[in-house]
Amino acid sequence: MKSIAGLEKEYERRTPTSLKCFERAKKSFQGGVASNFQAYEPYPIFWDHAKGSKYWDVDGNEYIDFNMAFGAVLAGHAHPLLVKAAEEQLSKGTLYCAPTDLSATCAEEVKKRFPVDLIRFANSGTEATMHALRVARAYTGKEKVIKIEGCYHGMHDYLLQSVGPDLGEAGPESCPTTVPQSKGIPRDVTKNTVVVPFNNIDAMRDALERNKGEVAAVIVEPVMMNTTLIPPKDGYLEKLGELTEEYNVVLIFDEVKTGFKVAFGGACEYYHITPDLITLGKCIGSGFSLAAFGGKKEIMELIKPGDVAHGGTYSANPLAIRASIIALREVLTRENLDYATRLEDKLADGIRKTMKDNGIPGYVNSMGPCGMVHFTEHEIYDYRTFVKYYNVDRLTKFWFGLVNNGIWIAPHADEHWTVSVQHTEEDIEKTLAVIRKIVPDLKY
Ligand SMILES: Cc1ncc(COP(=O)(O)O)c(C=O)c1O
């Protein structure tokens, strides 16, 4: 069996220019990366360019990309229709800070997919969840929010809580302690965020009861996609809908990852549920900086001057909006989503077979064009089961094995992969050949 040290050596042999770039970047760029999520050991690979299903690093190595910008580019890289749309807009100006008819067209495309009366655009998922929470608070006149342990909703203080807490600090399983995910978050903010485990409706009811009359909103990733890929148990989301109605609390589906992916109309369509508010990011911009939040008219109509604030210089900038319209109308179509999902099914089945043939314990979860391998025999149904049972050592070896053979998945154990609409049968065959080569090395 190859050791991690041996795999790391091979990684270093293939990527010396990345190391040089990293050393240079660190001198003027904190940590050498643009986001903490881009940092990983032994050092990050620096990209040169990307096209379709592939990217090339600064050493000229080619990779089949299954991270797809943490799932944001289901469209694949540099999709010709999106390049054309962007080029058309470039010469017309990229930022007006004034209304455009294009924004309404884009909003209509969103409404064709999601059960929302009104939306507003933002630039990132972080902004979308921050604004959704504010308007929920204004609507209910309450301050607390209930979130799920292990769910990620962006970088603002209210929801940057218990995303990946140390179990030593996280308190009891069914009534977790809220653990800030960063230094610098005021204690008074943390007090307003209540944390519960995923897939546990009793714990949710208890939390609503304990905080009765104080909770503005429950926010949930309908499928946990920041703790590998964990679907809700049968009936969980429906019961969540009933409970939030009973307790007069706004239900927010954070569809930044699920939206456009688990189904054409995201988790709302897949599970036939209409939450009070939804948040969208990633695929809505398909590589351009765009996000949105929206939902029931009686909540959203509070957003106006002098009432509930919402704004942003780059909000609904015409470059991202024009690209989004084309992405939603012509690229992320039902047919293309079905195509990517078929490829993902083939990939997942191939991995399952290879693991079985080699006696590697584990299973693969798939949803739409996304999937993730779980190296454990235990069922993972929430954050704690992930932390307790997931064999990270095996995943690390799997990751190095893939990367050293030109297959790219996210360098984090809690991510899933995405097959884009530009991946091909040949990409999947090549990937499965690599998997057949490296999986025997995962035996102990
Ligand atoms: C479910 C979810 N919500 C919100 C966000 C934040 O989005 P952004 O990185 O665009 O701020 C993310 C990012 O990964 C996410 O996965």
Side-chain angles (χ1 to χ4, degrees):
M1 185 179 59
K2 282 185 187 156
S3 65
I4 290 187
L7 290 161
E8 256 190 54
K9 270 218 163 65
E10 172 66 6
Y11 179 97
E12 286 162 9
R13 192 194 61 72
R14 282 169 52 89
T15 58
T17 312
S18 281
L19 180 57
K20 276 194 201 135
C21 290
F22 187 47
E23 295 302 341
R24 174 181 168 221
K26 277 192 294 189
K27 291 188 185 137
S28 52
F29 200 14
Q30 169 46 32
V33 288
S35 144
N36 287 2
F37 296 126
Q38 292 176 18
Y40 53 91
E41 297 292 331
Y43 53 84
I45 290 178
F46 277 55
W47 291 34
D48 183 68
H49 66 284
K51 182 141 186 55
S53 58
K54 306 212 173 65
Y55 84 86
W56 289 263
D57 71 12
V58 285
D59 283 289
N61 297 306
E62 178 181 298
Y63 301 80
I64 303 173
D65 182 9
F66 288 100
N67 183 36
M68 286 289 149
F70 296 119
V73 284
L74 174 60
H77 296 291
H79 193 289
L81 291 176
L82 299 184
V83 171
K84 186 166 165 271
E87 279 171 357
E88 271 171 30
Q89 190 61 44
L90 282 176
S91 57
K92 294 181 173 179
T94 55
L95 187 63
Y96 307 151
C97 289
T100 63
D101 205 29
L102 284 177
S103 302
T105 307
C106 190
E108 283 162 14
E109 289 303 320
V110 172
K111 282 186 66 172
K112 283 182 195 161
R113 295 175 183 241
F114 296 92
V116 289
D117 301 326
L118 291 167
I119 71 163
R120 272 283 175 104
F121 291 105
N123 300 291
S124 66
T126 296
E127 276 183 43
T129 60
M130 181 186 79
H131 286 300
L133 199 51
R134 181 186 294 138
V135 72
R137 285 186 167 128
Y139 180 71
T140 55
K142 316 280 188 238
E143 294 202 344
K144 288 189 177 173
V145 56
I146 300 182
K147 82 170 282 285
I148 306 289
E149 192 170 46
C151 276
Y152 176 61
H153 303 289
M155 281 284 159
H156 58 89
D157 290 353
Y158 285 114
L159 295 174
L160 197 59
Q161 311 276 356
S162 294
V163 177
D166 187 304
L167 291 195
E169 294 178 75
E173 211 164 298
S174 56
C175 178
T177 306
T178 305
V179 183
Q181 198 64 34
S182 168
K183 291 182 180 161
I185 296 179
R187 266 191 292 274
D188 280 350
V189 170
T190 302
K191 271 191 226 154
N192 278 317
T193 306
V194 178
V195 174
V196 296
F198 193 55
N199 271 328
N200 185 334
I201 208 71
D202 292 335
M204 180 64 80
R205 181 184 286 283
D206 289 349
L208 284 162
E209 197 53 43
R210 271 199 319 277
N211 297 280
K212 204 168 181 173
E214 295 181 278
V215 180
V218 167
I219 185 163
V220 60
E221 285 181 75
V223 179
M224 280 185 96
M225 288 177 94
N226 283 286
T227 303
T228 72
L229 196 164
I230 306 178
K233 288 186 177 164
D234 280 353
Y236 174 71
L237 294 175
E238 289 82 349
K239 287 194 193 117
L240 210 54
E242 288 162 18
L243 266 187
T244 46
E245 205 175 318
E246 183 186 330
Y247 283 82
N248 245 321
V249 166
V250 173
L251 177 61
I252 308 172
F253 273 12
D254 180 356
E255 293 238 37
V256 166
K257 275 199 163 172
T258 50
F260 311 95
K261 281 231 216 70
V262 301
F264 181 78
C268 292
E269 176 182 305
Y270 191 93
Y271 294 103
H272 308 286
I273 294 177
T274 300
D276 301 301
L277 293 176
I278 63 162
T279 54
L280 298 168
K282 298 196 188 281
C283 290
I284 190 175
S286 287
F288 295 82
S289 202
L290 190 68
F293 63 104
K296 297 210 162 116
K297 183 169 183 285
E298 64 266 30
I299 304 176
M300 289 300 290
E301 67 188 6
L302 295 180
I303 299 173
K304 54 182 180 298
D307 208 337
V308 173
H310 165 251
T313 304
Y314 280 85
S315 279
N317 67 81
L319 181 65
I321 290 281
R322 190 180 284 276
S324 174
I325 293 168
I326 299 300
L328 301 188
R329 281 188 178 162
E330 298 181 43
V331 181
L332 306 184
T333 57
R334 279 195 193 276
E335 296 68 37
N336 285 345
L337 182 60
D338 287 349
Y339 166 79
T341 301
R342 273 197 308 279
L343 289 188
E344 153 55 22
D345 288 346
K346 193 168 173 181
L347 177 65
D349 282 348
I351 298 174
R352 286 181 192 114
K353 180 171 180 328
T354 308
M355 285 169 68
K356 191 161 174 240
D357 290 349
N358 287 278
I360 304 293
Y363 58 97
V364 177
N365 276 355
S366 269
M367 245 187 143
C370 303
M372 186 57 187
V373 58
H374 293 79
F375 289 113
T376 172
E377 278 166 329
H378 292 270
E379 188 198 356
I380 291 179
Y381 53 82
D382 63 5
Y383 174 71
R384 301 221 181 178
T385 44
F386 163 71
V387 174
K388 280 187 205 151
Y389 300 127
Y390 199 92
N391 189 325
V392 176
D393 184 56
R394 265 209 173 105
L395 182 75
T396 306
K397 286 186 182 140
F398 184 67
W399 183 80
F400 272 117
L402 290 176
V403 175
N404 288 344
N405 285 281
I407 310 294
W408 183 249
I409 62 169
H412 310 292
D414 48 15
E415 269 295 326
H416 54 89
W417 62 69
T418 297
V419 178
S420 82
V421 306
Q422 292 195 71
H423 278 80
T424 61
E425 293 275 348
E426 196 193 341
D427 290 331
I428 303 301
E429 292 301 341
K430 269 192 187 166
T431 305
L432 287 175
V434 168
I435 283 170
R436 283 191 292 274
K437 178 173 146 191
I438 64 171
V439 162
D441 270 341
L442 302 179
K443 284 186 199 164
Y444 289 126

